[in-house]
Amino acid sequence: MASNKDENQSGSSGGGGFFSSIASSLSNLGSAMSKSVNGMLGYEGLEVVNPEGGNEDAGAEAQRGRWKAEDRDNYWKMMQKYIGADVTSLVTLPVIICEPMTNLQKMAELMEYAYLLDLADECEDPHMRLVYSASWFISVYYALQRTWKPFNPILGETYELVNHAGITFIAEQVSHHPPMGAAHAENEHFIYDITSKVKTKFLGNSVEVYPLGRSRLTLKKSGVVLDLVPPPTKVHNLIFGRTWIDSPGEMILTNLTTGDKVLLYFQPCGWFGAGRYEVDGYVYNSEEEPKILMTGKWNESLSYQPCDLEGEPLPGSTMKEVWRAADAPKNDKFQYTYFAHKINSFDTAPKKLLASDSRLRPDRYALEKGDLSKASSEKSRLEERQRADRRTREAKGDEFKPKWFNLSNEVCPTPWGDLEVYEYNGKYHEHRAAIDSSDKGEEADVKTTEFNPWQYEDSVVSA
């Protein structure tokens, strides 16, 4: 932990002081773990990192992973031309590395521990509000450690969740190039809005992912508005070795109403897993004085304790747990939690599910049932239909307009670039209210609904 506020505090774009010095030294340590194995395998520039080992077993680690040897070799050769590039929209990846879920559904996984926001909203202590809220944002990292890739949503695709903790959640893919999603969630305690976009840098056998999104959380009782800047993420061993994910760097949650903030540092993984998953930092008041220290592991639990101006625990105070990850199914094929299964299920779908909902994607559903061949062919068919839809739009001179979100005039600066912000337009609540007030007749089997996010029903897929 840091010993004083000046060493700890930094701006929202990342910064110096105690945390940065640790970041630099541990980053060097993590870099030492990487070992080129081109001499052994005949691949120029290939680096493999074993998160549980040192730098002597890269060759053995390279032979592990979910890829077949011939597929691994072919993809390595194909991807060489993209090294150093942003591959967000450039590369179509095979179904074999996907999970039966889309990015829109993954956005909804943040709702699992929404009770933390209920506690934050009811809390009178402004600094404890930040403890609860920051813990909520960190809780989703348990799900983000999954190494399977979610499906990229089709333009106009949606996901809705209305049966958890009184929350109404709607997400929509609002842009295809660049890929962007927007989501709105609300219950009696909070309002959450996000415009999601990423920037990537492909490094060969790894990729760095920079979150350009904007996240805003409003607590209804106090009216405070919180803004999040998350750390970047690095995906290791994409092709050779066992894929694993790390998110080293700072997470900053700022109370835009009062100026209080939380600054937490995600430790990078070192030799033999040293520091992996660990996160620690402080809640600061508007005068940049530490008030509460926080520590834990983002895949297990978080705790907090009041501290003095030097960042040391107050005499007589004790460390208290604020969040713990729920038990998960053992040996689950896709490392899903019980909540992930819930949001992926037709059994929990709302009445009169939108035809554009991710649950209805035939490629996603085929993969869930274990039919990789059908999943692959359906994925190709949907992608070609999306191209046909775009050609029709261009021929008509139309612009795609999202249904549940509007492009605002706001451009939000982030540490990794500017972001156009989409705002929730309120229409989904009107839509859902109309359904809920209608006659409760017998519902058709939702599984028979054809997936339909298309703007034009008569778009022709070229042969």
Side-chain angles (χ1 to χ4, degrees), residues 51-52 68 175 178 221 227 257 262 310 315-316 358 395 403 438:
E52 300 158 357
K68 295 179 180 178
S175 172
K221 185 176 180 180
D227 176 81
T257 308
V262 183
E310 300 301 316
S358 295
K403 190 170 184 178
S438 65

Side-chain angles (χ1 to χ4, degrees), residues 402-415:
K403 190 170 184 178
W404 312 111
F405 296 85
N406 297 332
L407 179 61
S408 72
N409 294 322
E410 181 179 0
V411 176
C412 176
T414 79

Side-chain angles (χ1 to χ4, degrees), residues 26 36 38 47 59 80 87 164 176-177 211 238 241 251 310 328 346-347 426-427 446:
L26 286 179
S36 174
N38 59 292
E47 288 190 334
Q80 296 303 292
V87 293
H164 173 69
H176 181 57
H177 288 298
L238 283 172
M251 187 190 90
E310 300 301 316
F346 285 108
D347 294 338
K427 293 180 180 179
V446 70

Side-chain angles (χ1 to χ4, degrees), residues 160-162 166-170 184-188 190-193 220 404 424-437:
E160 48 184 328
L161 177 72
V162 298
I167 295 168
T168 298
F169 175 96
I170 180 67
H184 174 87
E186 185 173 351
N187 72 0
E188 62 178 326
F190 71 88
I191 299 171
Y192 172 67
D193 287 286
K220 290 186 174 181
W404 312 111
Y424 174 61
N425 59 23
K427 293 180 180 179
Y428 179 77
H429 278 77
E430 298 173 5
H431 163 80
R432 185 51 55 190
I435 290 174
D436 292 342
S437 63

